Amino acid sequence: MKILNQNLLFIFLFGLLSMTSCVEDDDFDTPQFEQTPPEIDGTIISLSALEGILAQNDNGPFTFEGTNNVVEAYVISNDESGNFFRELIVQDQPENPTYGVAVQIDVNPLFTKYDFGRKIYIKLDGLSVGQREGNEARLGIVDGINITGIPESFVEEHLIRDTLIADVIPVQKQLSDLSFSDVNTYIELTDVQFSNSYFSNNTSATYASEANDEFDGERVLESCVSPRELIFSTSTFADFKGLLLPSGSGSLKGVLTRDFFGEFFTFYINSPEDVDMTGERCDPLVFSCGNAASPATSEFINVDFEDQNINSPVSIPGWANYIESGSEAWEAFVDNGANQSLGISARIRPNNSGDASTISWLISPEIPVETSSKVTLEFKTSNSFSNLSILQVLYSTDWDGTELGITSANWGIITDAFIVPDDQFFGDWVNSGLVDMSCFEGNGHIAFKYTGSGDENEDGTYELDDIFINVE
């Protein structure tokens, strides 16, 4: 028995030594499992086919039944930071997308399985597609006229995860280039900055931690190359909500959406790492003296347009009516409806013109600021649904008076002049306020500049009347 026990001990020690010699520094090899793409049982159709289905069904909701159709898509949202919630934004291809949709899913988080760039397949039968106000397509479960989230127990039945993680390339866009076809796609906005109103006394506003931020912190994003602006939104549940906004200019990557009521574009980022705004600011030239208590005593300009030919371009001695882009000039008109009390007015209305872009100027004669102790400006504006178009009141001290020199001159914004907002009732005429121009440096010209949206279906109408400039 003693010999047997010795043999057993020897065998045990030899085995332990053999095991130890196979392992160095606890470096175990991780088992490798071969991943293969999923087999899709169904007919694969393009994600963009949803656009046609919506159009055929008056923008939905439309429920898929018995089609055996599957759409292929790529994930472009990431809810890891909390800026997206129970929603997966997907587009039809990783580069140069043509269509995107928001998939409603009652699961949080989603990034652990449906990560950024992940290729997925969505089985449509049992799901519904609808379009919220503002052309934003949504895919999920129908509830009346609304699209709600896919229940967690059904997610894997409808969403199939591919092994491919694509390199998603954002489409570079200026703010002026954005259109409805860009909604729910991954975009890099270039030449932008946050409004200067968020930076004062060496302090900065946060992404979404201010006292008035509820649900989303909304910040104005400005273009450095056009008068365009965009609402930049951050969820108050995002883990970066307390970070300070970058004060410089540059670019940022994210997803273009529409607000809840579909009235304007909004923009969401996946992470603050997608923001690169370290360049110098591009704040526009500004002219501001505040408002005057009373008008200057002597009338210098009084334009009520009553001597103009209706439906013809405005033609006033000393004034320039210049078309920078498109075919529509400022024209005289009479509104036989709610605005008729003012008689003949001027308006710019490129809607249905067929022009891809409309930029039109109406510029005053030179104003003798240098030789006047007081100069005041006053006018009225109205709109007929200005939509995504913009009217600005500008001032230049270096315009040479020629059409060729208009776009090369330096034009600053007269910030104290109030322009009718888009949500104002279309029948109202709104006073600009009595603008004080006395502190402007140098003689110059006032310009009423209209800039269209870049989409003729979204080019609204602005009306202008009763322009008074007084001096003393």
Side-chain angles (χ1 to χ4, degrees):
M1 291 295 295
K2 183 176 180 180
I3 295 174
L4 178 60
N5 289 338
Q6 287 177 339
N7 289 338
L8 289 173
L9 178 62
F10 176 78
I11 292 171
F12 172 76
L13 293 174
F14 178 77
L16 182 63
L17 179 63
S18 299
M19 291 173 63
T20 305
S21 65
C22 292
V23 180
E24 296 182 5
D25 300 326
D26 297 327
D27 185 18
F28 293 91
D29 290 332
T30 302
Q32 298 295 318
F33 299 98
E34 183 180 359
Q35 292 186 337
T36 57
E39 294 184 5
I40 305 303
D41 181 18
T43 302
I44 298 176
I45 64 174
S46 170
L47 184 70
S48 60
L50 298 181
E51 183 176 21
I53 293 170
L54 279 170
Q56 293 171 5
N57 292 274
D58 296 325
N59 295 331
F62 173 81
T63 300
F64 295 90
E65 296 178 349
T67 67
N68 202 30
N69 286 339
V70 180
V71 293
E72 178 182 289
Y74 296 84
V75 177
I76 58 170
S77 60
N78 184 339
D79 62 2
E80 183 174 8
S81 70
N83 208 28
F84 291 90
F85 182 69
R86 298 185 185 275
E87 186 175 55
L88 204 63
I89 313 296
V90 299
Q91 64 185 35
D92 58 355
Q93 48 200 30
E95 188 173 1
N96 298 319
T98 62
Y99 193 71
V101 65
V103 186
Q104 309 301 290
I105 305 174
D106 279 341
V107 174
N108 183 57
L110 290 164
F111 78 93
T112 54
K113 187 168 185 178
Y114 306 106
D115 40 340
F116 183 83
R118 176 70 63 178
K119 183 179 181 180
I120 65 171
Y121 298 90
I122 306 173
K123 290 186 176 181
L124 294 178
D125 284 344
L127 300 183
S128 299
V129 62
Q131 188 164 285
R132 201 169 68 180
E133 293 291 336
N135 292 9
E136 186 173 359
R138 309 178 82 77
L139 188 64
I141 303 297
V142 69
D143 181 12
I145 61 172
N146 298 317
I147 302 296
T148 61
I150 303 171
E152 184 173 5
S153 58
F154 290 99
V155 170
E156 292 194 2
E157 178 181 324
H158 289 286
L159 269 65
I160 303 171
R161 181 175 181 266
D162 198 284
T163 57
L164 174 65
I165 300 177
D167 185 13
V168 178
I169 307 299
V171 178
Q172 290 192 343
K173 294 269 186 174
Q174 300 281 356
L175 292 191
S176 58
D177 297 332
L178 297 177
S179 66
F180 288 115
S181 62
D182 297 317
V183 171
N184 288 328
T185 64
Y186 194 60
I187 289 172
E188 181 177 10
L189 297 176
T190 59
D191 300 313
V192 290
Q193 66 181 18
F194 288 102
S195 170
N196 195 44
S197 62
Y198 303 123
F199 312 101
S200 60
N201 300 322
N202 296 319
T203 62
S204 171
T206 60
Y207 278 89
S209 287
E210 304 307 308
N212 60 343
D213 290 332
E214 185 177 1
F215 301 113
D216 282 336
E218 295 187 339
R219 307 290 182 256
V220 176
L221 199 63
E222 303 172 333
S223 171
C224 288
V225 295
S226 76
R228 291 282 165 219
E229 294 180 341
L230 177 71
I231 297 298
F232 175 94
S233 295
T234 303
S235 170
T236 53
F237 295 97
D239 59 17
F240 60 89
K241 67 178 183 179
L243 295 182
L244 299 179
L245 293 175
S247 60
S249 67
S251 64
L252 65 167
K253 302 171 186 175
V255 179
L256 184 71
T257 69
R258 298 284 284 180
D259 75 297
F260 184 80
F261 299 103
E263 295 176 345
F264 51 82
F265 288 126
T266 57
F267 197 80
Y268 287 84
I269 59 173
N270 289 318
S271 162
E273 294 178 358
D274 296 327
V275 178
D276 181 12
M277 301 176 73
T278 57
E280 293 185 5
R281 291 190 63 82
C282 58
D283 293 317
L285 181 64
V286 169
F287 290 93
S288 176
C289 309
N291 291 323
S294 61
T297 55
S298 300
E299 184 178 281
F300 179 72
I301 288 177
N302 179 350
V303 174
D304 60 10
F305 302 102
E306 294 300 325
D307 60 348
Q308 297 297 296
N309 295 320
I310 298 172
N311 298 326
S312 296
V314 169
S315 178
I316 306 172
W319 287 72
N321 189 356
Y322 173 66
I323 300 173
E324 178 183 337
S325 180
S327 60
E328 300 298 314
W330 284 90
E331 66 175 2
F333 86 111
V334 171
D335 192 328
N336 293 318
N339 289 338
Q340 61 181 332
S341 60
L342 289 186
I344 300 177
S345 304
R347 73 175 174 187
I348 180 72
R349 188 182 65 172
N351 185 259
N352 296 322
S353 66
D355 296 327
S357 172
T358 297
I359 303 175
S360 299
W361 301 67
L362 187 63
I363 308 176
S364 76
E366 186 176 73
I367 301 166
V369 171
E370 293 178 347
T371 57
S372 303
S373 60
K374 184 177 182 179
V375 182
T376 58
L377 164 69
E378 195 171 9
F379 58 88
K380 294 183 178 73
T381 54
S382 182
N383 71 55
S384 297
F385 309 105
S386 57
N387 296 331
L388 299 180
S389 55
I390 295 171
L391 180 63
Q392 295 175 296
V393 185
L394 308 176
Y395 188 76
S396 175
T397 60
D398 63 359
W399 179 45
D400 62 7
T402 67
E403 289 190 349
L404 186 62
I406 292 175
T407 56
S408 60
N410 294 302
W411 294 92
I413 300 173
I414 302 178
T415 56
D416 302 314
F418 185 74
I419 302 293
V420 60
D422 181 47
D423 58 1
Q424 186 81 28
F425 174 63
F426 72 91
D428 293 344
W429 281 96
V430 175
N431 192 281
S432 63
L434 189 59
V435 180
D436 189 357
M437 299 174 55
S438 307
C439 71
F440 289 9
E441 295 182 2
N443 297 341
H445 303 261
I446 289 175
F448 296 91
K449 180 184 179 184
Y450 173 95
T451 304
S453 67
D455 181 345
E456 65 168 320
N457 295 318
E458 286 300 313
D459 282 344
T461 299
Y462 277 98
E463 291 118 1
L464 174 67
D465 209 346
D466 293 345
I467 305 170
F468 296 101
I469 299 176
N470 285 15
V471 301
E472 63 179 54

